[in-house]
Amino acid sequence: MTGVTLEKAVKTYGNVQVIHGVDLEIADGEFCVFVGPSGCGKSTLLRMIAGLEETSAGKISIGSRDVTRVDPAERGVAMVFQTYALYPHMTVEENMGFGLRMNGHPKDEIKRKVAEASRVLKLDDYLKRKPAALSGGQRQRVAIGRAIVRGPEVFLFDEPLSNLDAELRVDMRVEIARLHNEIGATMIYVTHDQVEAMTLADKIVVLRAGRIEQVGAPMELYRNPDNKFVAGFIGSPSMNFLKGRVVEGGVEVAGLGGAVIATGVALPGAGRDVIVGLRPQDITLSAEPSALKVDITEQLGGVAYEYLSTPTGEAFVAESKGDDAIDSGTEVKVRFDPARVMFFDAETEARLR
Ligand code: ADP
């Protein structure tokens, strides 16, 4: 098992730079998730680690080995793609063993490795079937099995669950987490789904426009984001952002009836604008006469989301337990712990601390 290190990794296509000098250390056995909006460079970065894209400048190491110019097949990595690309005329067993067969491994070794992968992925009942007779989730498990039998030092996953329906996606997410627990290899996983990132990762790397915005454990990013982008990207529903103004004693939020929030952070001078961040989970609503009204309530059973709009034309969401949902049309007062509120610079969007 082996970690992965990127040093000032750059990717340019022609004269367009899409990865701008990324520094990153992924520890041995870590589950690292690259997350960010479409086009931010997640897949490119993963493909650079795999060797499927040439690295334009900088260095990529796997363990202590500089692999920047090493052939993909020699890097000790195995990649699982969004599309499974199984051979339709081969059985599950033959699909999983194909790579080893091509490399001339002995038959009994292939059989043993396929049996082990099949056990881990619960594919024992399907070994003699062809891909056409498998569900999408089973096909994706075969694709993962094909990676496992190669015994790579690092697994690379490129949005492996995107083609599955919502229910299967949840099942496969849990299976991938289980797989990581069982085999303990270094895994790097690309997704645009922040729920996948939160649930799978030891370490999340939030990317934006070819740069790292922040790296940290899921709860570190949730509780302690460095900027408005990360604060808004991690957490579901997203963090609410309201306009605030620095006044004597704190930050005045016009949208919340001019409430002044006392802050423990270094604020710019009085009269300056700041952005006030408040997570839906940190808001408590109570049905009381007020200028604020719930516009729409979404009841999900266990939880409910109340959507509100302020007299200043801003919008925000509160989360409550399903049993405590407040009906749409109800006037409400808003309560929250001031210590949970985050403040961001109105121009740079950096967190004020
Ligand atoms: P993501 O995986 O985060 O959606 P990508 O890594 O696929 O993003 O793409 C990052 C950026 O690189 C995008 O702006 C994309 O348009 C650009 N890009 C990707 N592949 C090529 C290519 N072959 N030629 C030119 N630009 C590319």
Side-chain angles (χ1 to χ4, degrees):
M1 285 194 289
T2 322
V4 176
T5 310
L6 308 185
E7 291 165 77
K8 311 233 168 328
V10 169
K11 178 70 192 175
T12 49
Y13 289 109
N15 51 13
V16 182
Q17 188 164 323
V18 298
I19 301 290
H20 307 280
V22 163
D23 288 305
L24 179 65
E25 258 183 66
I26 300 165
D28 185 15
E30 201 162 42
F31 199 123
C32 178
V33 177
F34 294 171
V35 73
S38 181
C40 70
K42 307 178 289 293
S43 297
T44 303
L45 209 50
L46 193 76
R47 294 170 64 83
M48 287 160 69
I49 295 169
L52 300 174
E53 294 286 354
E54 200 182 313
T55 298
S56 310
K59 182 174 164 189
I60 298 181
S61 312
I62 297 180
S64 54
R65 214 156 56 102
D66 178 351
V67 297
T68 319
R69 304 280 162 239
V70 172
D71 195 66
E74 306 298 322
R75 291 194 183 196
V77 304
M79 192 140 162
V80 178
F81 297 91
Q82 182 176 339
T83 47
Y84 328 119
L86 302 178
Y87 297 107
H89 57 286
M90 290 184 198
T91 63
V92 165
E93 198 170 24
E94 289 163 349
N95 262 289
M96 288 206 282
F98 182 73
L100 296 184
R101 266 201 318 282
M102 291 309 284
N103 287 330
H105 288 248
K107 267 197 175 130
D108 52 341
E109 180 200 329
I110 299 174
K111 207 171 170 68
R112 185 169 46 77
K113 287 192 168 159
V114 169
E116 172 62 12
S118 158
R119 182 190 64 75
V120 171
L121 293 163
K122 300 191 197 74
L123 284 169
D124 288 349
D125 294 341
Y126 307 100
L127 287 174
K128 302 292 176 207
R129 286 202 199 172
K130 298 214 168 129
L134 299 175
S135 71
Q138 290 162 344
R139 283 180 209 165
Q140 189 53 291
R141 293 218 299 269
V142 177
I144 295 172
R146 205 169 37 185
I148 293 177
V149 297
R150 293 179 48 198
E153 292 172 310
V154 181
F155 285 79
L156 305 175
F157 294 92
D158 194 357
E159 306 231 14
L161 308 187
S162 306
N163 283 352
L164 304 178
D165 63 36
E167 199 179 332
L168 256 179
R169 218 155 47 215
V170 175
D171 289 351
M172 279 304 290
R173 203 169 73 202
V174 175
E175 286 198 31
I176 289 176
R178 218 175 263 141
L179 176 70
H180 181 246
N181 283 345
E182 180 155 352
I183 65 180
T186 308
M187 295 187 174
I188 309 177
Y189 186 106
V190 162
T191 181
H192 58 269
D193 181 331
Q194 67 91 25
V195 177
E196 271 175 37
M198 286 297 282
T199 51
L200 285 170
D202 296 316
K203 176 191 268 174
I204 297 180
V205 178
V206 182
L207 290 160
R208 180 193 200 182
R211 288 193 171 80
I212 292 181
E213 288 284 308
Q214 194 172 353
V215 178
M219 282 311 281
E220 258 169 63
L221 297 192
Y222 178 81
R223 281 292 166 221
N224 208 5
D226 281 342
N227 55 49
K228 182 179 174 233
F229 181 81
V230 174
F233 200 82
I234 300 290
S236 173
S238 293
M239 181 182 273
N240 298 296
F241 297 110
L242 295 169
K243 283 186 204 137
R245 200 168 56 94
V246 180
V247 296
E248 177 83 30
V251 171
E252 181 183 57
V253 188
L256 298 178
V260 174
I261 307 174
T263 81
V265 305
L267 292 168
R272 296 277 295 277
D273 291 336
V274 292
I275 300 163
V276 178
L278 193 50
R279 292 210 180 272
Q281 298 81 17
D282 292 332
I283 300 175
T284 309
L285 301 178
S286 56
E288 285 175 54
S290 152
L292 274 178
K293 222 187 241 179
V294 176
D295 293 333
I296 297 283
T297 302
E298 279 183 347
Q299 176 59 270
L300 275 75
V303 295
Y305 303 130
E306 290 90 3
Y307 293 81
L308 300 101
S309 44
T310 69
T312 52
E314 297 168 278
F316 67 101
V317 189
E319 179 178 323
S320 61
K321 285 192 178 156
D323 287 335
D324 302 336
I326 295 190
D327 292 336
S328 59
T330 310
E331 288 185 7
V332 288
K333 286 226 160 108
V334 173
R335 286 192 182 76
F336 50 84
D337 176 356
R340 291 280 200 184
V341 184
M342 295 181 201
F343 301 90
F344 303 91
D345 187 285
E347 265 134 52
T348 65
E349 301 191 344
R351 175 94 175 275
L352 300 170
R353 298 181 191 269

